[in-house]
Amino acid sequence: MPRHIVFTPKAAKPPSTYSQAVKAAGLIFVSGTAPTDPATGAIKGATIQEQTRQCLVNIQAILEEAGSSLDKIVSVTVVLADEDDFAGMNEEWLKWFPANPPARQGAKLPARIPGLKISIAAIAEA
C-alpha cells in the first residue's frame, strides 16, 4: 500500500515541515494537532477543556478525510504545557471516549507557545 498524504481544510493547516496525517500500512498517523481554528489559524479556547475539544474536532476532520473516524483510533499521545491541566483534559476526553478508549500516553510540551495548552497526535485504523 503506497503512502498517502492526508489534508483537509476542515482542520488547521500545518507548517510546511509536516503533513496533517499520513496514511500507510493500513493506518493513519495524525501529526500533533493543536487546538487551532482552521478558519483563523488562531488557538481556539482559553481552558484546557475547550482546547482539548478543538484538538479532537481537528483530528476528527482529518480522520474523516482519510476515510476513518475517532472510534478507529488505537493510540494517542497527549502533550500538555502544564501537568496541572491533566484532570481538565481528562474531563473533556471522557466525553469523546466514554467506553473502549484508545491507548494513551502523555508528555510535557518542551517549549512554551503563548496560549497553547495541549497538542494531540493519534494513530487510527484506516
Side-chain angles (χ1 to χ4, degrees), residues 54-118:
Q54 186 60 43
C55 286
L56 293 170
V57 165
N58 288 342
I59 291 170
Q60 183 175 37
I62 293 165
L63 289 174
E64 287 175 357
E65 179 67 26
S68 190
S69 61
L70 290 175
D71 64 328
K72 292 186 176 184
I73 293 176
V74 295
S75 180
V76 296
T77 300
V78 176
V79 183
L80 296 171
D82 185 344
E83 60 268 10
D84 291 340
D85 281 336
F86 180 82
M89 177 278 300
N90 216 37
E91 175 186 315
E92 181 65 25
W93 186 266
L94 288 170
K95 295 175 185 176
W96 292 75
F97 302 100
N100 303 315
R104 186 175 78 184
Q105 67 179 354
K108 185 168 176 160
L109 278 171
R112 293 279 183 188
I113 298 170
L116 182 68
K117 295 179 177 288
I118 188 170

